[in-house]
Structure formats: structure tokens, C-alpha cells
Amino acid sequence: FAGSATKFVKFDGSNVDIVTEKLTASGSSINLGAPSFRLGSASNFISGSGGDLVIQTSGTTTISGSAVDIQTPNFFLGKRGSQFVSGSNNNIEITSSMFHLDPKNSIVAISGSITATTGKIGGMLLENNKLRSQYGDGTVITKVVTVVDGNK
């Protein structure tokens, strides 16, 4: 044992405990090998054990580089119940304040307006700013329907 009651280095024959305000380890190579580890405080830490790695922070976490490759069968980015992107079981779900893609329930929900000049809508063709029947005689739909407060 060396030190005081609050700052010390202790070796009991098999374990070494170091308690200090600051510890500097430097060199050309530092290797720490253990089946489990924890670096940090109660709210900001990196820990690992049993094949799991946990990065917990109360601030900003930055992963940066010229090539960042994250491979996983399940992921969740965002805030649950609000805005997020998630994926699992070969499906992806995207939610924001004006858009929701839910492949599990076959739902695409959009709030606001959609602008398109060409494409298909429910089996109809959109061309030259007109809806045209894709099947049958190709008649152009000319009826204008206005919806106000849910009433036609």
C-alpha cells in the first residue's frame, strides 16, 4: 500500500487498485488486456464485456474518418416515438414529423403536399400534369375534386 486513504496504489498479492485524480500512461505501445473493462464516470463511459461494447455519453459522440463501416442486422438511430431510422428483419422504418414509412404494416404516411410531374398513382399514369387510366381506353380524368374540412 502506498498513498493516503483517498489516493493510493494498493497490491494485495493478486489485485492492483489505483485511486487518483489523474493517471497518465504514455509510451509507444500500451496494451490493457481484460475480459471486461470500464473507462469513464457513471454517466459518460466506454465499457465492454462478454462481446458487448457500450458507449454512453450525456453529450455529443463523434465517429469520424474517411471510411466508417458499421455492419449490424439491427439498428436504431434517433429518438423513440419521435424521429428515427431503424432497421431489422430486412425492413427499414423511417419516421419524422411529416413522413412515416412502416413496412411491417404496409404504411407510407405523408403530411403536407406532394409534387410530381410523372409517375404512377394507384394504377393511374401521371403524364403532362393529367391522370390517365393505365388500363382500358386511356381516358383522361378531367373531374376536379376539392376537399374542404373532410367534405367533398
Side-chain angles (χ1 to χ4, degrees), residues 110-147:
I110 300 172
S111 299
S113 64
I114 300 172
T115 302
T117 56
T118 62
K120 292 181 182 178
I121 300 173
M124 305 293 283
L125 294 175
L126 175 61
E127 42 185 48
N128 300 323
N129 295 319
K130 296 177 184 171
L131 275 177
R132 192 178 294 274
S133 174
Q134 184 176 1
Y135 306 103
D137 63 4
T139 303
V140 175
I141 299 172
T142 57
K143 176 126 174 113
V144 175
V145 177
T146 304
V147 178

PDB file of all heavy atoms in Angstrom, residues 110-147:
ATOM      1  N   ILE A 110     -47.714  10.501 -45.384  1.00  0.00           N
ATOM      2  CA  ILE A 110     -47.062  11.780 -45.656  1.00  0.00           C
ATOM      3  C   ILE A 110     -48.029  12.897 -45.284  1.00  0.00           C
ATOM      4  O   ILE A 110     -49.193  12.869 -45.661  1.00  0.00           O
ATOM      5  CB  ILE A 110     -46.674  11.896 -47.144  1.00  0.00           C
ATOM      6  CG1 ILE A 110     -45.716  10.769 -47.524  1.00  0.00           C
ATOM      7  CG2 ILE A 110     -46.068  13.250 -47.444  1.00  0.00           C
ATOM      8  CD1 ILE A 110     -45.420  10.675 -48.993  1.00  0.00           C
ATOM      9  N   SER A 111     -47.535  13.875 -44.545  1.00  0.00           N
ATOM     10  CA  SER A 111     -48.314  15.068 -44.241  1.00  0.00           C
ATOM     11  C   SER A 111     -47.768  16.192 -45.103  1.00  0.00           C
ATOM     12  O   SER A 111     -46.565  16.315 -45.268  1.00  0.00           O
ATOM     13  CB  SER A 111     -48.160  15.449 -42.774  1.00  0.00           C
ATOM     14  OG  SER A 111     -48.633  14.420 -41.953  1.00  0.00           O
ATOM     15  N   GLY A 112     -48.649  17.026 -45.622  1.00  0.00           N
ATOM     16  CA  GLY A 112     -48.191  18.109 -46.488  1.00  0.00           C
ATOM     17  C   GLY A 112     -48.494  17.793 -47.941  1.00  0.00           C
ATOM     18  O   GLY A 112     -49.263  16.904 -48.256  1.00  0.00           O
ATOM     19  N   SER A 113     -47.880  18.503 -48.835  1.00  0.00           N
ATOM     20  CA  SER A 113     -48.164  18.315 -50.252  1.00  0.00           C
ATOM     21  C   SER A 113     -47.083  17.476 -50.915  1.00  0.00           C
ATOM     22  O   SER A 113     -45.957  17.402 -50.458  1.00  0.00           O
ATOM     23  CB  SER A 113     -48.270  19.672 -50.955  1.00  0.00           C
ATOM     24  OG  SER A 113     -47.024  20.333 -50.899  1.00  0.00           O
ATOM     25  N   ILE A 114     -47.479  16.823 -52.010  1.00  0.00           N
ATOM     26  CA  ILE A 114     -46.572  16.024 -52.817  1.00  0.00           C
ATOM     27  C   ILE A 114     -46.582  16.608 -54.216  1.00  0.00           C
ATOM     28  O   ILE A 114     -47.645  16.858 -54.787  1.00  0.00           O
ATOM     29  CB  ILE A 114     -47.033  14.550 -52.887  1.00  0.00           C
ATOM     30  CG1 ILE A 114     -47.077  13.958 -51.479  1.00  0.00           C
ATOM     31  CG2 ILE A 114     -46.126  13.750 -53.793  1.00  0.00           C
ATOM     32  CD1 ILE A 114     -47.709  12.585 -51.427  1.00  0.00           C
ATOM     33  N   THR A 115     -45.424  16.840 -54.780  1.00  0.00           N
ATOM     34  CA  THR A 115     -45.327  17.371 -56.132  1.00  0.00           C
ATOM     35  C   THR A 115     -44.672  16.324 -57.021  1.00  0.00           C
ATOM     36  O   THR A 115     -43.603  15.812 -56.695  1.00  0.00           O
ATOM     37  CB  THR A 115     -44.482  18.660 -56.151  1.00  0.00           C
ATOM     38  OG1 THR A 115     -45.087  19.600 -55.268  1.00  0.00           O
ATOM     39  CG2 THR A 115     -44.397  19.242 -57.543  1.00  0.00           C
ATOM     40  N   ALA A 116     -45.335  15.995 -58.125  1.00  0.00           N
ATOM     41  CA  ALA A 116     -44.791  15.048 -59.091  1.00  0.00           C
ATOM     42  C   ALA A 116     -45.244  15.472 -60.484  1.00  0.00           C
ATOM     43  O   ALA A 116     -46.347  15.983 -60.656  1.00  0.00           O
ATOM     44  CB  ALA A 116     -45.283  13.637 -58.785  1.00  0.00           C
ATOM     45  N   THR A 117     -44.396  15.258 -61.470  1.00  0.00           N
ATOM     46  CA  THR A 117     -44.761  15.591 -62.855  1.00  0.00           C
ATOM     47  C   THR A 117     -44.997  14.352 -63.687  1.00  0.00           C
ATOM     48  O   THR A 117     -45.702  14.402 -64.685  1.00  0.00           O
ATOM     49  CB  THR A 117     -43.667  16.451 -63.514  1.00  0.00           C
ATOM     50  OG1 THR A 117     -42.430  15.756 -63.420  1.00  0.00           O
ATOM     51  CG2 THR A 117     -43.555  17.802 -62.821  1.00  0.00           C
ATOM     52  N   THR A 118     -44.426  13.218 -63.297  1.00  0.00           N
ATOM     53  CA  THR A 118     -44.661  11.956 -63.999  1.00  0.00           C
ATOM     54  C   THR A 118     -44.674  10.830 -62.978  1.00  0.00           C
ATOM     55  O   THR A 118     -44.226  11.000 -61.846  1.00  0.00           O
ATOM     56  CB  THR A 118     -43.551  11.657 -65.038  1.00  0.00           C
ATOM     57  OG1 THR A 118     -42.305  11.528 -64.341  1.00  0.00           O
ATOM     58  CG2 THR A 118     -43.453  12.742 -66.088  1.00  0.00           C
ATOM     59  N   GLY A 119     -45.190   9.675 -63.367  1.00  0.00           N
ATOM     60  CA  GLY A 119     -45.177   8.510 -62.496  1.00  0.00           C
ATOM     61  C   GLY A 119     -46.501   7.791 -62.497  1.00  0.00           C
ATOM     62  O   GLY A 119     -47.335   7.993 -63.389  1.00  0.00           O
ATOM     63  N   LYS A 120     -46.693   6.935 -61.504  1.00  0.00           N
ATOM     64  CA  LYS A 120     -47.920   6.169 -61.355  1.00  0.00           C
ATOM     65  C   LYS A 120     -48.505   6.435 -59.978  1.00  0.00           C
ATOM     66  O   LYS A 120     -47.784   6.523 -59.000  1.00  0.00           O
ATOM     67  CB  LYS A 120     -47.649   4.672 -61.495  1.00  0.00           C
ATOM     68  CG  LYS A 120     -47.233   4.241 -62.881  1.00  0.00           C
ATOM     69  CD  LYS A 120     -47.018   2.746 -62.916  1.00  0.00           C
ATOM     70  CE  LYS A 120     -46.548   2.314 -64.290  1.00  0.00           C
ATOM     71  NZ  LYS A 120     -46.277   0.866 -64.355  1.00  0.00           N
ATOM     72  N   ILE A 121     -49.825   6.542 -59.931  1.00  0.00           N
ATOM     73  CA  ILE A 121     -50.542   6.711 -58.678  1.00  0.00           C
ATOM     74  C   ILE A 121     -51.710   5.733 -58.694  1.00  0.00           C
ATOM     75  O   ILE A 121     -52.636   5.888 -59.490  1.00  0.00           O
ATOM     76  CB  ILE A 121     -51.076   8.158 -58.501  1.00  0.00           C
ATOM     77  CG1 ILE A 121     -49.918   9.153 -58.511  1.00  0.00           C
ATOM     78  CG2 ILE A 121     -51.885   8.277 -57.216  1.00  0.00           C
ATOM     79  CD1 ILE A 121     -50.357  10.594 -58.516  1.00  0.00           C
ATOM     80  N   GLY A 122     -51.658   4.719 -57.843  1.00  0.00           N
ATOM     81  CA  GLY A 122     -52.750   3.755 -57.745  1.00  0.00           C
ATOM     82  C   GLY A 122     -53.161   3.139 -59.072  1.00  0.00           C
ATOM     83  O   GLY A 122     -54.342   2.973 -59.338  1.00  0.00           O
ATOM     84  N   GLY A 123     -52.216   2.793 -59.920  1.00  0.00           N
ATOM     85  CA  GLY A 123     -52.537   2.178 -61.207  1.00  0.00           C
ATOM     86  C   GLY A 123     -52.847   3.185 -62.298  1.00  0.00           C
ATOM     87  O   GLY A 123     -53.101   2.817 -63.438  1.00  0.00           O
ATOM     88  N   MET A 124     -52.846   4.468 -61.974  1.00  0.00           N
ATOM     89  CA  MET A 124     -53.084   5.518 -62.958  1.00  0.00           C
ATOM     90  C   MET A 124     -51.732   6.115 -63.351  1.00  0.00           C
ATOM     91  O   MET A 124     -50.808   6.138 -62.557  1.00  0.00           O
ATOM     92  CB  MET A 124     -53.976   6.613 -62.371  1.00  0.00           C
ATOM     93  CG  MET A 124     -55.300   6.121 -61.809  1.00  0.00           C
ATOM     94  SD  MET A 124     -56.396   5.503 -63.073  1.00  0.00           S
ATOM     95  CE  MET A 124     -56.969   7.028 -63.755  1.00  0.00           C
ATOM     96  N   LEU A 125     -51.637   6.606 -64.585  1.00  0.00           N
ATOM     97  CA  LEU A 125     -50.419   7.247 -65.044  1.00  0.00           C
ATOM     98  C   LEU A 125     -50.540   8.754 -64.876  1.00  0.00           C
ATOM     99  O   LEU A 125     -51.582   9.339 -65.180  1.00  0.00           O
ATOM    100  CB  LEU A 125     -50.168   6.934 -66.523  1.00  0.00           C
ATOM    101  CG  LEU A 125     -49.867   5.485 -66.869  1.00  0.00           C
ATOM    102  CD1 LEU A 125     -49.757   5.308 -68.380  1.00  0.00           C
ATOM    103  CD2 LEU A 125     -48.598   5.023 -66.201  1.00  0.00           C
ATOM    104  N   LEU A 126     -49.494   9.371 -64.400  1.00  0.00           N
ATOM    105  CA  LEU A 126     -49.424  10.824 -64.296  1.00  0.00           C
ATOM    106  C   LEU A 126     -48.492  11.280 -65.403  1.00  0.00           C
ATOM    107  O   LEU A 126     -47.306  10.991 -65.401  1.00  0.00           O
ATOM    108  CB  LEU A 126     -48.877  11.240 -62.930  1.00  0.00           C
ATOM    109  CG  LEU A 126     -48.639  12.731 -62.701  1.00  0.00           C
ATOM    110  CD1 LEU A 126     -49.938  13.504 -62.843  1.00  0.00           C
ATOM    111  CD2 LEU A 126     -48.019  12.952 -61.335  1.00  0.00           C
ATOM    112  N   GLU A 127     -49.068  11.959 -66.407  1.00  0.00           N
ATOM    113  CA  GLU A 127     -48.250  12.455 -67.503  1.00  0.00           C
ATOM    114  C   GLU A 127     -48.822  13.772 -67.995  1.00  0.00           C
ATOM    115  O   GLU A 127     -50.039  13.932 -68.094  1.00  0.00           O
ATOM    116  CB  GLU A 127     -48.128  11.439 -68.640  1.00  0.00           C
ATOM    117  CG  GLU A 127     -49.401  10.722 -68.997  1.00  0.00           C
ATOM    118  CD  GLU A 127     -49.229   9.636 -70.045  1.00  0.00           C
ATOM    119  OE1 GLU A 127     -48.316   8.801 -69.934  1.00  0.00           O
ATOM    120  OE2 GLU A 127     -50.042   9.636 -70.971  1.00  0.00           O
ATOM    121  N   ASN A 128     -47.945  14.713 -68.258  1.00  0.00           N
ATOM    122  CA  ASN A 128     -48.348  16.052 -68.712  1.00  0.00           C
ATOM    123  C   ASN A 128     -49.348  16.688 -67.748  1.00  0.00           C
ATOM    124  O   ASN A 128     -50.336  17.283 -68.164  1.00  0.00           O
ATOM    125  CB  ASN A 128     -48.908  16.007 -70.129  1.00  0.00           C
ATOM    126  CG  ASN A 128     -47.888  15.491 -71.121  1.00  0.00           C
ATOM    127  OD1 ASN A 128     -46.711  15.789 -71.002  1.00  0.00           O
ATOM    128  ND2 ASN A 128     -48.338  14.685 -72.062  1.00  0.00           N
ATOM    129  N   ASN A 129     -49.142  16.500 -66.443  1.00  0.00           N
ATOM    130  CA  ASN A 129     -49.993  17.070 -65.400  1.00  0.00           C
ATOM    131  C   ASN A 129     -51.431  16.568 -65.455  1.00  0.00           C
ATOM    132  O   ASN A 129     -52.346  17.242 -65.014  1.00  0.00           O
ATOM    133  CB  ASN A 129     -49.960  18.602 -65.437  1.00  0.00           C
ATOM    134  CG  ASN A 129     -48.582  19.124 -65.091  1.00  0.00           C
ATOM    135  OD1 ASN A 129     -47.931  18.604 -64.190  1.00  0.00           O
ATOM    136  ND2 ASN A 129     -48.123  20.122 -65.808  1.00  0.00           N
ATOM    137  N   LYS A 130     -51.665  15.368 -66.009  1.00  0.00           N
ATOM    138  CA  LYS A 130     -53.004  14.767 -66.068  1.00  0.00           C
ATOM    139  C   LYS A 130     -52.913  13.319 -65.627  1.00  0.00           C
ATOM    140  O   LYS A 130     -51.935  12.642 -65.908  1.00  0.00           O
ATOM    141  CB  LYS A 130     -53.557  14.827 -67.495  1.00  0.00           C
ATOM    142  CG  LYS A 130     -53.786  16.231 -68.004  1.00  0.00           C
ATOM    143  CD  LYS A 130     -54.266  16.208 -69.423  1.00  0.00           C
ATOM    144  CE  LYS A 130     -54.397  17.637 -69.934  1.00  0.00           C
ATOM    145  NZ  LYS A 130     -54.661  17.686 -71.345  1.00  0.00           N
ATOM    146  N   LEU A 131     -53.968  12.856 -64.936  1.00  0.00           N
ATOM    147  CA  LEU A 131     -54.070  11.439 -64.599  1.00  0.00           C
ATOM    148  C   LEU A 131     -54.738  10.733 -65.761  1.00  0.00           C
ATOM    149  O   LEU A 131     -55.770  11.170 -66.264  1.00  0.00           O
ATOM    150  CB  LEU A 131     -54.912  11.237 -63.330  1.00  0.00           C
ATOM    151  CG  LEU A 131     -54.203  11.359 -62.005  1.00  0.00           C
ATOM    152  CD1 LEU A 131     -55.202  11.192 -60.858  1.00  0.00           C
ATOM    153  CD2 LEU A 131     -53.096  10.345 -61.854  1.00  0.00           C
ATOM    154  N   ARG A 132     -54.155   9.632 -66.204  1.00  0.00           N
ATOM    155  CA  ARG A 132     -54.679   8.883 -67.337  1.00  0.00           C
ATOM    156  C   ARG A 132     -54.791   7.424 -66.906  1.00  0.00           C
ATOM    157  O   ARG A 132     -53.909   6.897 -66.256  1.00  0.00           O
ATOM    158  CB  ARG A 132     -53.710   9.037 -68.510  1.00  0.00           C
ATOM    159  CG  ARG A 132     -54.232   8.564 -69.824  1.00  0.00           C
ATOM    160  CD  ARG A 132     -53.221   8.787 -70.938  1.00  0.00           C
ATOM    161  NE  ARG A 132     -52.949  10.187 -71.211  1.00  0.00           N
ATOM    162  CZ  ARG A 132     -53.674  10.941 -72.034  1.00  0.00           C
ATOM    163  NH1 ARG A 132     -54.727  10.437 -72.634  1.00  0.00           N
ATOM    164  NH2 ARG A 132     -53.346  12.202 -72.245  1.00  0.00           N
ATOM    165  N   SER A 133     -55.887   6.779 -67.284  1.00  0.00           N
ATOM    166  CA  SER A 133     -56.081   5.388 -66.944  1.00  0.00           C
ATOM    167  C   SER A 133     -55.006   4.543 -67.627  1.00  0.00           C
ATOM    168  O   SER A 133     -54.791   4.651 -68.822  1.00  0.00           O
ATOM    169  CB  SER A 133     -57.474   4.922 -67.396  1.00  0.00           C
ATOM    170  OG  SER A 133     -57.602   3.534 -67.192  1.00  0.00           O
ATOM    171  N   GLN A 134     -54.321   3.710 -66.842  1.00  0.00           N
ATOM    172  CA  GLN A 134     -53.299   2.839 -67.413  1.00  0.00           C
ATOM    173  C   GLN A 134     -53.954   1.652 -68.101  1.00  0.00           C
ATOM    174  O   GLN A 134     -53.393   1.077 -69.000  1.00  0.00           O
ATOM    175  CB  GLN A 134     -52.364   2.360 -66.299  1.00  0.00           C
ATOM    176  CG  GLN A 134     -51.205   1.519 -66.781  1.00  0.00           C
ATOM    177  CD  GLN A 134     -50.250   1.158 -65.665  1.00  0.00           C
ATOM    178  OE1 GLN A 134     -50.441   1.510 -64.522  1.00  0.00           O
ATOM    179  NE2 GLN A 134     -49.194   0.455 -66.003  1.00  0.00           N
ATOM    180  N   TYR A 135     -55.140   1.293 -67.657  1.00  0.00           N
ATOM    181  CA  TYR A 135     -55.856   0.151 -68.214  1.00  0.00           C
ATOM    182  C   TYR A 135     -57.097   0.663 -68.930  1.00  0.00           C
ATOM    183  O   TYR A 135     -57.569   1.761 -68.698  1.00  0.00           O
ATOM    184  CB  TYR A 135     -56.250  -0.816 -67.084  1.00  0.00           C
ATOM    185  CG  TYR A 135     -55.061  -1.211 -66.245  1.00  0.00           C
ATOM    186  CD1 TYR A 135     -54.859  -0.652 -64.996  1.00  0.00           C
ATOM    187  CD2 TYR A 135     -54.119  -2.114 -66.725  1.00  0.00           C
ATOM    188  CE1 TYR A 135     -53.761  -0.993 -64.234  1.00  0.00           C
ATOM    189  CE2 TYR A 135     -53.019  -2.457 -65.974  1.00  0.00           C
ATOM    190  CZ  TYR A 135     -52.839  -1.902 -64.728  1.00  0.00           C
ATOM    191  OH  TYR A 135     -51.757  -2.226 -63.986  1.00  0.00           O
ATOM    192  N   GLY A 136     -57.666  -0.102 -69.805  1.00  0.00           N
ATOM    193  CA  GLY A 136     -58.886   0.319 -70.505  1.00  0.00           C
ATOM    194  C   GLY A 136     -58.567   1.225 -71.671  1.00  0.00           C
ATOM    195  O   GLY A 136     -57.572   1.063 -72.363  1.00  0.00           O
ATOM    196  N   ASP A 137     -59.402   2.249 -71.876  1.00  0.00           N
ATOM    197  CA  ASP A 137     -59.291   3.072 -73.080  1.00  0.00           C
ATOM    198  C   ASP A 137     -58.354   4.269 -72.924  1.00  0.00           C
ATOM    199  O   ASP A 137     -58.196   5.059 -73.847  1.00  0.00           O
ATOM    200  CB  ASP A 137     -60.674   3.551 -73.516  1.00  0.00           C
ATOM    201  CG  ASP A 137     -61.330   4.456 -72.482  1.00  0.00           C
ATOM    202  OD1 ASP A 137     -60.688   4.773 -71.466  1.00  0.00           O
ATOM    203  OD2 ASP A 137     -62.482   4.842 -72.706  1.00  0.00           O
ATOM    204  N   GLY A 138     -57.712   4.464 -71.771  1.00  0.00           N
ATOM    205  CA  GLY A 138     -56.770   5.560 -71.593  1.00  0.00           C
ATOM    206  C   GLY A 138     -57.435   6.911 -71.440  1.00  0.00           C
ATOM    207  O   GLY A 138     -56.811   7.946 -71.653  1.00  0.00           O
ATOM    208  N   THR A 139     -58.712   6.942 -71.056  1.00  0.00           N
ATOM    209  CA  THR A 139     -59.452   8.181 -70.912  1.00  0.00           C
ATOM    210  C   THR A 139     -58.786   9.094 -69.883  1.00  0.00           C
ATOM    211  O   THR A 139     -58.322   8.645 -68.845  1.00  0.00           O
ATOM    212  CB  THR A 139     -60.895   7.875 -70.447  1.00  0.00           C
ATOM    213  OG1 THR A 139     -61.477   6.988 -71.389  1.00  0.00           O
ATOM    214  CG2 THR A 139     -61.716   9.134 -70.323  1.00  0.00           C
ATOM    215  N   VAL A 140     -58.745  10.377 -70.182  1.00  0.00           N
ATOM    216  CA  VAL A 140     -58.169  11.353 -69.277  1.00  0.00           C
ATOM    217  C   VAL A 140     -59.217  11.721 -68.228  1.00  0.00           C
ATOM    218  O   VAL A 140     -60.383  11.953 -68.549  1.00  0.00           O
ATOM    219  CB  VAL A 140     -57.730  12.625 -70.047  1.00  0.00           C
ATOM    220  CG1 VAL A 140     -57.243  13.691 -69.082  1.00  0.00           C
ATOM    221  CG2 VAL A 140     -56.651  12.274 -71.049  1.00  0.00           C
ATOM    222  N   ILE A 141     -58.811  11.766 -66.978  1.00  0.00           N
ATOM    223  CA  ILE A 141     -59.697  12.163 -65.894  1.00  0.00           C
ATOM    224  C   ILE A 141     -59.679  13.693 -65.843  1.00  0.00           C
ATOM    225  O   ILE A 141     -58.642  14.303 -65.650  1.00  0.00           O
ATOM    226  CB  ILE A 141     -59.240  11.582 -64.551  1.00  0.00           C
ATOM    227  CG1 ILE A 141     -59.254  10.056 -64.617  1.00  0.00           C
ATOM    228  CG2 ILE A 141     -60.095  12.088 -63.408  1.00  0.00           C
ATOM    229  CD1 ILE A 141     -58.632   9.384 -63.421  1.00  0.00           C
ATOM    230  N   THR A 142     -60.840  14.291 -66.029  1.00  0.00           N
ATOM    231  CA  THR A 142     -60.899  15.751 -66.055  1.00  0.00           C
ATOM    232  C   THR A 142     -61.665  16.317 -64.867  1.00  0.00           C
ATOM    233  O   THR A 142     -61.716  17.512 -64.681  1.00  0.00           O
ATOM    234  CB  THR A 142     -61.563  16.251 -67.349  1.00  0.00           C
ATOM    235  OG1 THR A 142     -62.861  15.663 -67.444  1.00  0.00           O
ATOM    236  CG2 THR A 142     -60.732  15.864 -68.561  1.00  0.00           C
ATOM    237  N   LYS A 143     -62.290  15.475 -64.068  1.00  0.00           N
ATOM    238  CA  LYS A 143     -63.086  15.937 -62.927  1.00  0.00           C
ATOM    239  C   LYS A 143     -62.177  16.494 -61.846  1.00  0.00           C
ATOM    240  O   LYS A 143     -61.174  15.910 -61.484  1.00  0.00           O
ATOM    241  CB  LYS A 143     -63.906  14.773 -62.359  1.00  0.00           C
ATOM    242  CG  LYS A 143     -64.676  15.120 -61.131  1.00  0.00           C
ATOM    243  CD  LYS A 143     -66.117  14.776 -61.313  1.00  0.00           C
ATOM    244  CE  LYS A 143     -66.863  14.983 -60.015  1.00  0.00           C
ATOM    245  NZ  LYS A 143     -67.777  16.009 -60.047  1.00  0.00           N
ATOM    246  N   VAL A 144     -62.492  17.651 -61.328  1.00  0.00           N
ATOM    247  CA  VAL A 144     -61.746  18.265 -60.236  1.00  0.00           C
ATOM    248  C   VAL A 144     -62.515  18.023 -58.948  1.00  0.00           C
ATOM    249  O   VAL A 144     -63.719  18.278 -58.871  1.00  0.00           O
ATOM    250  CB  VAL A 144     -61.582  19.775 -60.476  1.00  0.00           C
ATOM    251  CG1 VAL A 144     -60.900  20.426 -59.279  1.00  0.00           C
ATOM    252  CG2 VAL A 144     -60.786  20.026 -61.741  1.00  0.00           C
ATOM    253  N   VAL A 145     -61.862  17.498 -57.936  1.00  0.00           N
ATOM    254  CA  VAL A 145     -62.478  17.235 -56.644  1.00  0.00           C
ATOM    255  C   VAL A 145     -61.767  18.121 -55.631  1.00  0.00           C
ATOM    256  O   VAL A 145     -60.547  18.093 -55.506  1.00  0.00           O
ATOM    257  CB  VAL A 145     -62.345  15.765 -56.242  1.00  0.00           C
ATOM    258  CG1 VAL A 145     -62.945  15.542 -54.858  1.00  0.00           C
ATOM    259  CG2 VAL A 145     -63.018  14.876 -57.267  1.00  0.00           C
ATOM    260  N   THR A 146     -62.533  18.931 -54.895  1.00  0.00           N
ATOM    261  CA  THR A 146     -61.967  19.783 -53.859  1.00  0.00           C
ATOM    262  C   THR A 146     -62.431  19.266 -52.517  1.00  0.00           C
ATOM    263  O   THR A 146     -63.624  19.023 -52.321  1.00  0.00           O
ATOM    264  CB  THR A 146     -62.437  21.244 -54.052  1.00  0.00           C
ATOM    265  OG1 THR A 146     -62.073  21.657 -55.366  1.00  0.00           O
ATOM    266  CG2 THR A 146     -61.791  22.153 -53.028  1.00  0.00           C
ATOM    267  N   VAL A 147     -61.502  19.062 -51.598  1.00  0.00           N
ATOM    268  CA  VAL A 147     -61.840  18.582 -50.265  1.00  0.00           C
ATOM    269  C   VAL A 147     -61.597  19.732 -49.298  1.00  0.00           C
ATOM    270  O   VAL A 147     -60.505  20.288 -49.234  1.00  0.00           O
ATOM    271  CB  VAL A 147     -60.982  17.357 -49.889  1.00  0.00           C
ATOM    272  CG1 VAL A 147     -61.314  16.905 -48.483  1.00  0.00           C
ATOM    273  CG2 VAL A 147     -61.192  16.240 -50.887  1.00  0.00           C
TER     274      VAL A 147
END
